[in-house]
Amino acid sequence: QVQVVESGGGLVQPGGSLRLACAASESAFSIKGMGWYRQAPGKQRELAAAITSDGSTNYADTVKGRFTISRDNAKNTVYLQMNGLKPADTAVYYCLVVLVRGSEAREVWGQGTLVTVSS
């Protein structure tokens, strides 16, 4: 019954910034980690950034130094601050939430939000 809702996508000029948000509904599961994947037209989905329950972060080399992932545990929300955007960043961005309950684990994907970087 967990729902993941994304927001913040849109059209931005090269060099501009956007902030994506991903909110997960409350449930009996605990959030182990959250991440942002992106899929450009004609390309496979790739990990852009992730954050684990202990606060550790991981970034793709292509976005390191420009993107920042953060979380608000009280709101079950993860953010992706994207600065210095490039046309190559154009993609549908999907939020992934990894949930655990005892020995069970599940992954829930957001609906995706389109980021278009173009002049």
Side-chain angles (χ1 to χ4, degrees):
Q1 295 87 351
V2 174
Q3 294 179 300
V4 176
V5 180
E6 302 178 21
S7 62
L11 175 65
V12 66
Q13 301 284 73
S17 299
L18 285 174
R19 190 191 192 205
L20 307 183
C22 173
S25 63
E26 297 179 5
S27 73
F29 286 77
S30 298
I31 298 177
K32 183 178 181 180
M34 304 179 78
W36 289 96
Y37 287 73
R38 65 185 187 180
Q39 187 166 20
K43 305 292 180 61
Q44 67 177 358
R45 192 171 299 183
E46 65 175 358
L47 176 67
I51 187 167
T52 60
S53 58
D54 65 355
S56 298
T57 58
N58 188 31
Y59 298 93
D61 290 339
T62 50
V63 309
K64 190 172 297 183
R66 299 186 296 118
F67 291 11
T68 302
I69 188 170
S70 61
R71 66 182 184 183
D72 185 336
N73 291 332
K75 298 182 182 297
N76 290 334
T77 301
V78 64
Y79 304 93
L80 185 66
Q81 179 67 46
M82 304 184 294
N83 299 324
L85 285 164
K86 305 174 180 179
D89 296 318
T90 296
V92 177
Y93 285 71
Y94 297 92
C95 178
L96 172 65
V97 181
V98 180
L99 304 167
V100 296
R101 182 188 180 188
S103 61
E104 299 182 40
R106 64 175 60 180
E107 298 179 347
V108 181
W109 290 92
Q111 80 280 6
T113 184
L114 177 62
V115 172
T116 302
V117 185
S118 176
S119 60

